[in-house]
Amino acid sequence: MDLITGLLQTSLLAGGVLALAALGEVLAERVGVVNLGVEGLMSLGAITAIATVVAHPNPALGFALALGVGLFAGMIFAVATVYIRANQVLCGLALTLMGTGLSATIGKAYSGMPAPATFAPVAVPYLSKIPVIGPAVFSQNVLIYLIYIILPLALHYLMFRTRHGLNLRAVGEDPAAADAAGIPVQRIRFWYVAAGSALASGAGAYLTLAFVPSWSEGVIAGRGWIAVALVIFGGYRPLNAVMVALLFGLITSLGFVGQARNWPIAAPILSMLPYLGTIALIIVPVLAWHKMRRLMAAPASLGLPYFRDVR
Amino acid sequence: MSGRIQRLPSAHPTVALLARAAAILLALLTAGVILAANGADPLKLVAQVVKSTFGSRFGLEDVGLLVTPLILTGLSVAVGLRIGAWNIGAEGQFYAGAFAATGVALFVPAPDFVLLPLAFVAGGLGGMAWILVPTLARAYADVSELITTLLLNFVAVLLVYYVSTGPWLDPDGHALATTARLPCELPEFWGAVHWGFPLAVLLTVLVAAGLSFTRWGYEVRVSGSNPQAARYAGMPFRRHLILVMLLSGAIAGIAGMFEVVGTVHRLQGGISNNFGYLGIMVAVLARGSALGVLAGAALMGIILNSGIILQTQGLNVSTVLAITGLILFFTAIGDELSHYRFVRNETASV
């Protein structure tokens, strides 16, 4: 029972990083832009958060500034990919290289230092007393509820239940038709890509403020790329993305539990699990359920820049 | 003098080349401004780089050692791009190749002239094995190779870290967290630069010739620019895709073999210096030409070497990575902008 509680608690914590980044990527990909800069944005957010709480020990401030930095970097990326229409794959890789390189350079001064202020767990009255799931689910930091409940539900409602959501999905599916219907294609793409980048950066801040609580070079460790893969696996839907992220949190925490309990498997081998799991989970469903393909398909114009005059 | 801006489907080569040069200059300028804002003197840094790189033979030898793996990782990514596959897992295939070559070198008792070719083949096969699953997934299930190749990088890093600190740890304990010194090494070619350098250049020329002058190369290029047209013309698209991706992996694996057998002589974590990721940059700069791969690798080698020279000035490998990203970003923008031209309106317009 102790094992299950611990596993669930770590899964929620670890999955939260992926969930927030994946939600950001859902926003960008739904309007038709592949943002491969998630890894770099998460690094920027992680180091921004640590640098902020070292100066002012306030985790909320660190998280907010990380969102701001992500928004700014996302706007630069969006100017290049949406308005200048440069190659999205190249710009995304560039953003990843710049983000990881820059944050590692800045991060030299903060390496290994524990975060002086973190998002502390808050026990929800009564609910946290429930056996097994109480301590795991209802004694978490406040961001957990934002990431797993409020944000995905809000985004799901926005995307699938409002006129604006219909518009933004139209921009990702067929920008020419959307343009003809009077929807401002470029403006919608720009702001959703920027907002998605802010969430990715926030995911990095969450990592250093609530999960790992310290900075070290390579602390993101490919989580940005896993998040990009989760979006595909989750069929570009916010609710699915969050559930899949939780599943990956579970895979990650199996590694932690294995190390803590001295399973006869070397730690680096256990650390391979999330990456191998991601690869398996994006290949197997395609082979297994052909009928799911259309339902879970990518937006039709994903990755294609929109030229009004060239049709 | 009225006119309008027109977008061309493909950029003029001269304009594209100029846009690239401008992008690189702008990126370096931006980096210089940022460094200056942080209290460094960019001009002094440049002077120091030029002096230590070109002022002595040792500087050029250092660059040569860095350029060798960059040529191969760049070629690896460039070959994949020819058929429209993004192999951003050259980093992982590099590690896999180094791992396989080390295994052969450590555990096969044989004289050097047998061991070196064996290690070479093992390196290639290691890289190939590392890209096998992404290749089959792309060919048979249409799963994007972007993510699968990249995620395997992390697995390869962990694998090399595991063996070099665990089962293959130097039994004599001369060095921490590395394997024992390999019993064989690539002979030297020019100063400290080993024979991997001319072999890398040769491999590049061979692959480029194969792509340019053979029927196979023609079909690969057609498949890369328009898969539908290739299938319609009866070209075996899937077979070409599989072969090219495996070749791409093998080349990156050979880069890893050269690095461990020629330069480092011990397998250890972090052996790759980000060569795989910088290879993406080399391939993008090359724009599909073999000579371009050599030029791009030379440029990236100099930039990487600058980062190492300037370590005392507070710069490091991560800073180089950031500057590389900046160059890539400006290059992507320059590539797109070079598609535009200004057209003067004809007098007949009303």
Side-chain angles (χ1 to χ4, degrees):
Chain A
M1 196 158 89
D2 192 30
L3 174 74
I4 295 172
T5 305
L7 210 58
L8 201 59
Q9 189 173 19
T10 323
S11 307
L12 277 167
L13 270 173
V17 184
L18 297 171
L20 195 53
L23 285 175
E25 187 67 11
V26 167
L27 288 185
E29 299 208 359
R30 269 290 173 182
V31 295
V33 178
V34 181
N35 184 352
L36 295 183
V38 184
E39 182 85 4
L41 289 163
M42 286 175 78
S43 303
L44 285 177
I47 193 64
T48 306
I50 282 289
T52 309
V53 293
V54 166
H56 295 278
N58 179 350
L61 182 68
F63 190 73
L65 280 182
L67 288 179
V69 167
L71 189 72
F72 180 69
M75 283 161 90
I76 296 175
F77 173 78
V79 165
T81 52
V82 175
Y83 287 111
I84 302 178
R85 307 181 187 97
N87 184 314
Q88 293 175 9
V89 172
L90 289 186
C91 289
L93 290 175
L95 186 54
T96 286
L97 292 179
M98 285 192 278
T100 42
L102 189 62
S103 44
T105 307
I106 300 170
K108 284 271 186 282
Y110 301 95
S111 196
M113 186 194 294
T118 55
F119 282 103
V122 182
V124 180
Y126 306 116
L127 289 178
S128 59
K129 298 286 190 294
I130 302 171
V132 188
I133 60 163
V137 181
F138 297 107
S139 306
Q140 295 273 17
N141 62 75
V142 285
L143 285 181
I144 286 283
Y145 308 112
L146 177 77
I147 292 170
Y148 282 103
I149 301 169
I150 301 171
L151 204 53
L153 284 178
L155 289 179
H156 180 82
Y157 181 79
L158 174 82
M159 277 184 186
F160 298 103
R161 295 283 180 273
T162 66
R163 165 66 59 146
H164 177 70
L166 188 62
N167 288 353
L168 82 86
R169 284 185 290 136
V171 166
E173 298 289 346
D174 190 342
D179 194 17
I183 301 167
V185 172
Q186 306 292 62
R187 204 190 321 151
I188 286 191
R189 282 193 166 175
F190 178 86
W191 283 111
Y192 274 92
V193 170
S197 304
L199 290 188
S201 179
Y206 167 85
L207 181 75
T208 47
L209 291 180
F211 182 39
V212 179
S214 74
W215 164 266
S216 60
E217 199 179 325
V219 72
I220 305 299
R223 288 188 174 87
W225 294 97
I226 293 180
V228 175
L230 293 188
V231 173
I232 302 171
F233 184 58
Y236 307 85
R237 285 163 163 74
L239 297 181
N240 292 9
V242 169
M243 281 187 282
V244 177
L246 185 56
L247 179 67
F248 268 79
L250 185 67
I251 297 178
T252 312
S253 58
L254 272 180
F256 290 138
V257 171
Q259 282 174 44
R261 307 209 150 209
N262 283 323
W263 289 356
I265 309 170
I269 305 291
L270 283 173
S271 308
M272 291 176 188
L273 278 177
Y275 310 109
L276 295 175
T278 311
I279 293 169
L281 280 185
I282 56 176
I283 294 177
V284 172
V286 185
L287 296 174
W289 310 301
H290 283 277
K291 280 184 195 156
M292 295 288 280
R293 270 200 192 177
R294 272 194 60 192
L295 198 66
M296 308 291 265
S301 299
L302 185 62
L304 305 173
Y306 173 57
F307 297 94
R308 177 179 263 178
D309 45 345
V310 186
R311 280 191 205 155
Chain B
M1 289 297 278
S2 67
R4 65 208 161 82
I5 307 275
Q6 191 183 40
R7 185 177 193 276
L8 304 169
S10 63
H12 191 277
T14 320
V15 179
L17 201 65
L18 283 177
R20 243 139 231 269
I24 294 168
L25 276 180
L26 256 177
L28 292 180
L29 213 63
T30 311
V33 168
I34 294 173
L35 286 174
N38 283 302
D41 181 352
L43 287 180
K44 219 156 119 192
L45 295 184
V46 169
Q48 194 183 344
V49 164
V50 171
K51 192 167 149 260
S52 349
T53 309
F54 300 103
S56 74
R57 205 182 127 141
F58 297 113
L60 285 176
E61 284 175 10
D62 283 346
V63 174
L65 279 178
L66 294 174
V67 167
T68 308
L70 286 171
I71 291 175
L72 290 173
T73 52
L75 181 66
S76 162
V77 181
V79 164
L81 284 179
R82 270 299 173 93
I83 201 157
W86 277 101
N87 175 18
I88 50 175
E91 182 88 0
Q93 294 136 27
F94 183 101
Y95 275 104
F99 165 76
T102 305
V104 166
L106 284 181
F107 299 111
V108 177
D112 271 13
F113 69 94
V114 180
L115 206 50
L116 283 175
L118 263 184
F120 180 85
V121 171
L125 287 177
M128 218 184 258
W130 216 249
I131 204 177
L132 186 65
V133 169
T135 303
L136 296 179
R138 164 77 197 271
Y140 291 99
D142 212 20
V143 171
S144 164
E145 72 287 355
L146 263 170
I147 295 163
T148 47
T149 52
L150 189 113
L151 285 172
L152 282 175
N153 290 348
F154 296 98
V155 180
V157 170
L158 286 166
L159 175 72
V160 166
Y161 173 76
Y162 169 66
V163 293
S164 61
T165 55
W168 293 1
L169 181 66
D170 187 359
D172 299 336
H174 289 309
L176 284 171
T178 78
T179 62
R181 196 182 159 89
L182 302 186
C184 61
E185 60 180 80
L186 282 174
E188 270 142 16
F189 164 69
W190 180 75
V193 183
H194 53 75
W195 270 88
F197 178 74
L199 285 174
V201 174
L202 180 71
L203 200 60
T204 309
V205 173
L206 282 180
V207 170
L211 280 169
S212 302
F213 302 123
T214 66
R215 177 182 163 153
W216 168 78
Y218 171 73
E219 293 196 354
V220 164
R221 281 182 288 135
V222 172
S223 305
S225 23
N226 192 339
Q228 274 79 27
R231 279 196 200 97
Y232 188 69
M235 295 175 188
F237 175 75
R238 185 177 283 167
R239 203 169 74 204
H240 286 324
L241 179 73
I242 293 174
L243 195 72
V244 168
M245 284 182 73
L246 291 180
L247 176 68
S248 168
I251 295 171
I254 290 168
M257 178 266 171
F258 282 170
E259 187 69 10
V260 75
V261 178
T263 309
V264 184
H265 306 299
R266 290 169 187 272
L267 185 67
Q268 58 197 42
I271 190 174
S272 123
N273 259 329
N274 293 323
F275 287 132
Y277 297 111
L278 299 175
I280 301 169
M281 186 63 226
V282 171
V284 169
L285 286 174
R287 263 198 139 203
S289 104
L291 273 181
V293 167
L294 299 178
L299 179 72
M300 287 316 302
I302 291 170
I303 292 176
L304 188 55
N305 192 40
S306 311
I308 295 168
I309 293 170
L310 296 179
Q311 258 172 356
T312 48
Q313 312 285 329
L315 266 72
N316 52 54
V317 183
S318 340
T319 321
V320 173
L321 209 60
I323 293 175
T324 310
L326 207 56
I327 297 177
L328 187 60
F329 190 67
F330 279 109
T331 307
I333 292 176
D335 266 10
E336 177 54 33
L337 291 181
S338 61
H339 281 84
Y340 290 86
R341 71 168 180 190
F342 182 76
V343 194
R344 226 169 260 162
N345 280 348
E346 300 300 322
T347 42
S349 65
V350 184

